[in-house]
């Protein structure tokens, strides 16, 4: 029997992508797996370095740099050289790694499908644990005590008593994001198959997406849920299939959920907390209670409006009581001034625009299902991050930013490597 030789480059590429996603998925219990931040960083940087070498070899020892890539290079320089030395080094290192991967991922962008699968599996796990948290809270705490420190378990308990559910993570916000990420992965696959007239769409994917969406209501994170719904609706309309039966089905499902909400709230009281926090004038508004953070950020910006005070300075200024402003656009101004703010808008805005162009062209040009899946995933994730940046920290929470960098790398690599790919 003749055995096929192992493709070293492919094996390294797949391992790197899996490890890359693994770091984003185990942000809070990485110490349990990797024992320390240093081991995790060295391991991942080592594999990404191999990707850099492969990318250089493929491109005759040079990278093709276009106009907006210069903005990404400047973001890397600002993050690496112009950051507060007291800021968490691991966060900074992982965000820098995301930028490096943006440049070197190349044709290995197609291995993201393995990472997508990991996102879905982890989301199902954390969603299931979230429901278990309601059934046997003491057993849940005992389980998490083996993954987290006493301080982190106390933090989980603190949020739980306020009606927020953390699942497998140590913060309900991260719990919600992992479900957002998985839902986007599932919808990307289903919509890509639908556009390609492929009848192999799986009903189980819709069931899982519905399960995760329902769990998000129970988790109690307002912004993630609202911005995800907006992302899905905008993405669906932009596909140009707004008159299809599927849109009608979506509205029917939403109507059924609305009518059934009294029963759902009666059975799962935590769902009521979501609506209370969303609409209650004493604390429900998504932006409520952050005026002091915004004022502090504005004052930081006014003290040095041109180049700011450096990456991570806001968190250090707040003695780590708040990791950020909860508005990335305002934080860009505070930490990098007008110059850094404009650089970020150019880098991130250009990627979103290029992805939007490809997103709209899927109806006209020939793309493979894999290309379409990546384009839809990239567009939806970038769109979600753009909106969530109004109230969150997606460019500072590395589990979001690392995936965001991959999403931004999709359009340029689709343009380069999809020429010989045919629709299947």
């Amino acid at each position: 029997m003749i055995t096929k030789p192992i493709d070293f480059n492919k094996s390294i590429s797949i391992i790197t992508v899996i490890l890359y996603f693994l770091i984003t998925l185990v942000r809070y219990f990485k110490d349990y797996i990797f024992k320390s931040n240093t081991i995790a960083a060295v391991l991942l940087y080592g594999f990404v370095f191999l990707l850099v070498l492969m990318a250089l070899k493929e491109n005759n020892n040079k990278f093709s740099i276009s106009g907006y890539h210069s903005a990404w290079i400047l973001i890397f320089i600002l993050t690496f050289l112009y950051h507060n030395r007291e800021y968490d080094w691991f966060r900074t290192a992982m965000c820098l790694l995301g930028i490096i991967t943006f440049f070197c991922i190349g044709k290995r962008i197609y291995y993201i499908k393995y990472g997508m699968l990991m996102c879905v599996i982890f989301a199902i796990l954390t969603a299931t644990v979230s429901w278990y948290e309601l059934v046997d809270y003491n057993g849940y705490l005992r389980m998490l005590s083996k993954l987290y420190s006493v301080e982190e378990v106390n933090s989980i308990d603190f949020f739980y008593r306020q009606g927020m559910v953390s699942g497998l993570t140590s913060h309900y916000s991260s719990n919600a994001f992992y479900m957002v990420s998985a839902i986007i992965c599932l919808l990307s696959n289903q919509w890509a198959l639908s556009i390609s007239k492929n009848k192999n769409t799986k009903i189980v994917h819709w069931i899982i997406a519905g399960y995760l969406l329902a769990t998000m209501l129970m988790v109690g994170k307002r912004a993630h849920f609202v911005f995800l719904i907006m992302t899905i609706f905008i993405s669906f309309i932009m596909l140009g299939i707004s008159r299809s039966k599927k849109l009608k089905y979506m509205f029917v499902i939403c109507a059924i959920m609305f009518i059934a909400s009294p029963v759902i709230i009666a059975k799962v009281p935590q769902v009521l907390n979501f609506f209370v926090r969303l609409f209650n004038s004493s604390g429900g508004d998504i932006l409520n209670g952050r005026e002091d953070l915004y004022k502090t950020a504005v004052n930081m910006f006014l003290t040095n409006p041109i180049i700011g005070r450096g990456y991570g300075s806001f968190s250090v200024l707040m003695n780590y009581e708040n990791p950020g402003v909860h508005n990335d656009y305002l934080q860009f101004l505070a930490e990098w001034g007008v110059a850094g703010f404009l650089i970020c808008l150019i880098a991130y805005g250009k990627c979103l625009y290029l992805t939007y162009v490809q997103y709209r062209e899927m109806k006209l040009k020939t793309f493979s299902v894999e290309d379409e899946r990546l384009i839809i995933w990239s567009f939806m994730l970038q769109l979600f991050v753009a909106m969530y940046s109004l109230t969150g920290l997606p460019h500072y929470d590395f589990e979001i930013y690392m995936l965001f960098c991959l999403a931004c790398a999709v359009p340029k690599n689709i343009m380069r490597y999809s020429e010989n790919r045919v629709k299947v």
Side-chain angles (χ1 to χ4, degrees):
M1 181 177 178
I2 300 175
T3 57
K4 193 174 182 180
I6 297 175
D7 188 334
F8 177 78
N9 287 350
K10 181 178 180 179
S11 300
I12 290 296
S13 299
I14 294 176
I15 291 173
T16 304
V17 169
I18 291 175
L19 185 60
Y20 188 95
F21 273 83
L22 183 63
I23 291 292
T24 69
L25 293 174
V26 298
R27 170 185 172 183
Y28 290 101
F29 51 95
K30 61 184 179 303
D31 291 348
Y32 184 81
I33 296 176
F34 297 104
K35 304 307 179 183
S36 74
N37 286 342
T38 302
I39 293 176
V42 169
L43 186 62
L44 187 51
Y45 263 89
F47 276 95
V48 170
F49 178 70
L50 294 177
L51 287 193
V52 173
L53 294 180
M54 284 188 277
L56 286 172
K57 184 178 180 180
E58 292 166 1
N59 293 278
N60 297 319
N61 295 321
K62 63 180 180 180
F63 285 112
S64 177
I65 305 297
S66 59
Y68 76 100
H69 287 169
S70 301
W72 278 87
I73 293 174
L74 289 174
I75 291 175
F76 180 88
I77 294 173
L78 285 171
T79 306
F80 183 68
L81 297 178
Y82 192 49
H83 71 271
N84 193 301
R85 303 300 173 183
E86 297 180 33
Y87 188 62
D88 184 356
W89 72 268
F90 188 75
R91 281 175 174 261
T92 305
M94 292 300 102
C95 288
L96 286 171
L97 189 70
I99 301 172
I100 294 172
T101 307
F102 167 81
F103 284 104
C104 73
I105 189 69
K107 63 184 179 182
R108 287 155 290 277
I109 201 81
Y110 293 103
Y111 298 137
I112 285 179
K113 61 185 177 182
Y114 299 109
M116 290 181 177
L117 178 60
M118 293 173 62
C119 286
V120 173
I121 292 174
F122 184 82
I124 294 172
L125 287 175
T126 190
T128 304
V129 171
S130 296
W131 290 104
Y132 172 65
E133 184 174 349
L134 304 183
V135 176
D136 183 6
Y137 185 62
N138 291 329
Y140 165 77
L141 287 181
R142 286 194 298 271
M143 179 183 72
L144 259 63
S145 66
K146 299 178 181 181
L147 297 173
Y148 302 120
S149 65
V150 175
E151 292 78 11
E152 288 171 319
V153 173
N154 289 337
S155 176
I156 293 170
D157 181 62
F158 171 78
F159 285 116
Y160 177 81
R161 297 186 186 285
Q162 296 186 63
M164 281 79 85
V165 180
S166 299
L168 268 178
T169 74
S170 64
H171 196 281
Y172 69 102
S173 180
S174 295
N175 195 25
F177 172 72
Y178 291 134
M179 295 180 209
V180 168
S181 177
I183 291 171
I184 290 176
C185 291
L186 290 166
L187 291 181
S188 300
N189 183 67
Q190 295 298 87
W191 286 358
L193 292 173
S194 177
I195 293 171
S196 301
K197 309 298 182 183
N198 190 317
K199 297 182 179 180
N200 291 327
T201 55
K202 298 180 179 179
I203 187 65
V204 68
H205 289 180
W206 292 111
I207 294 174
I208 294 172
Y211 170 63
L212 296 178
L213 195 62
T215 305
M216 285 183 65
L217 275 175
M218 181 267 293
V219 166
K221 183 61 178 176
R222 304 154 295 173
H224 287 70
F225 186 87
V226 171
F227 291 137
L228 174 63
I229 296 300
M230 292 174 63
T231 296
I232 294 172
F233 184 76
I234 293 172
S235 303
F236 196 83
I237 293 298
M238 285 186 175
L239 275 176
I241 51 178
S242 57
R243 297 179 183 176
S244 72
K245 294 181 180 179
K246 290 183 180 179
L247 184 61
K248 296 178 182 178
Y249 292 153
M250 289 177 66
F251 281 118
V252 169
I253 291 173
C254 290
I256 292 174
M257 290 181 64
F258 178 78
I259 295 172
S261 58
V263 177
I264 296 173
I265 291 171
K267 297 295 183 180
V268 188
Q270 281 76 7
V271 174
L272 179 62
N273 179 65
F274 170 87
F275 295 101
V276 170
R277 297 184 71 229
L278 185 62
F279 298 113
N280 192 327
S281 60
S282 65
D285 185 81
I286 291 176
L287 301 177
N288 195 62
R290 293 176 178 168
E291 294 86 353
D292 291 339
L293 295 177
Y294 296 159
K295 289 178 182 178
T296 302
V298 169
N299 290 332
M300 276 186 65
F301 166 68
L302 294 176
T303 59
N304 199 337
I306 306 301
I307 58 172
R309 295 178 59 173
Y311 181 82
S313 294
F314 184 87
S315 179
V316 175
L317 179 68
M318 299 296 292
N319 294 319
Y320 301 101
E321 292 182 6
N322 285 286
V325 183
H326 288 282
N327 182 313
D328 276 357
Y329 303 111
L330 191 54
Q331 191 152 343
F332 291 154
L333 285 169
E335 297 187 344
W336 284 340
V338 174
F341 177 79
L342 292 176
I343 290 170
C344 290
L345 285 188
I346 292 171
Y348 304 144
K350 181 66 173 181
C351 288
L352 181 57
Y353 173 74
L354 291 176
T355 313
Y356 164 75
V357 171
Q358 290 182 346
Y359 191 78
R360 294 288 293 178
E361 287 180 344
M362 285 192 299
K363 297 178 297 179
L364 306 173
K365 291 187 176 182
T366 299
F367 289 101
S368 71
V369 173
E370 282 192 79
D371 289 334
E372 290 169 345
R373 183 191 299 119
L374 281 173
I375 293 170
I376 297 171
W377 173 78
S378 173
F379 180 73
M380 292 184 71
L381 186 61
Q382 288 184 69
L383 186 60
F384 172 82
V385 169
M387 290 189 286
Y388 180 49
S389 293
L390 292 169
T391 65
L393 308 165
H395 297 88
Y396 292 82
D397 288 336
F398 68 82
E399 77 271 20
I400 302 178
Y401 188 67
M402 289 173 70
L403 297 184
F404 173 74
C405 289
L406 279 185
C408 289
V410 166
K412 68 186 181 77
N413 288 301
I414 289 290
M415 286 188 286
R416 181 170 186 181
Y417 296 107
S418 69
E419 292 180 356
N420 298 319
R421 303 176 69 82
V422 296
K423 192 184 286 287
V424 295

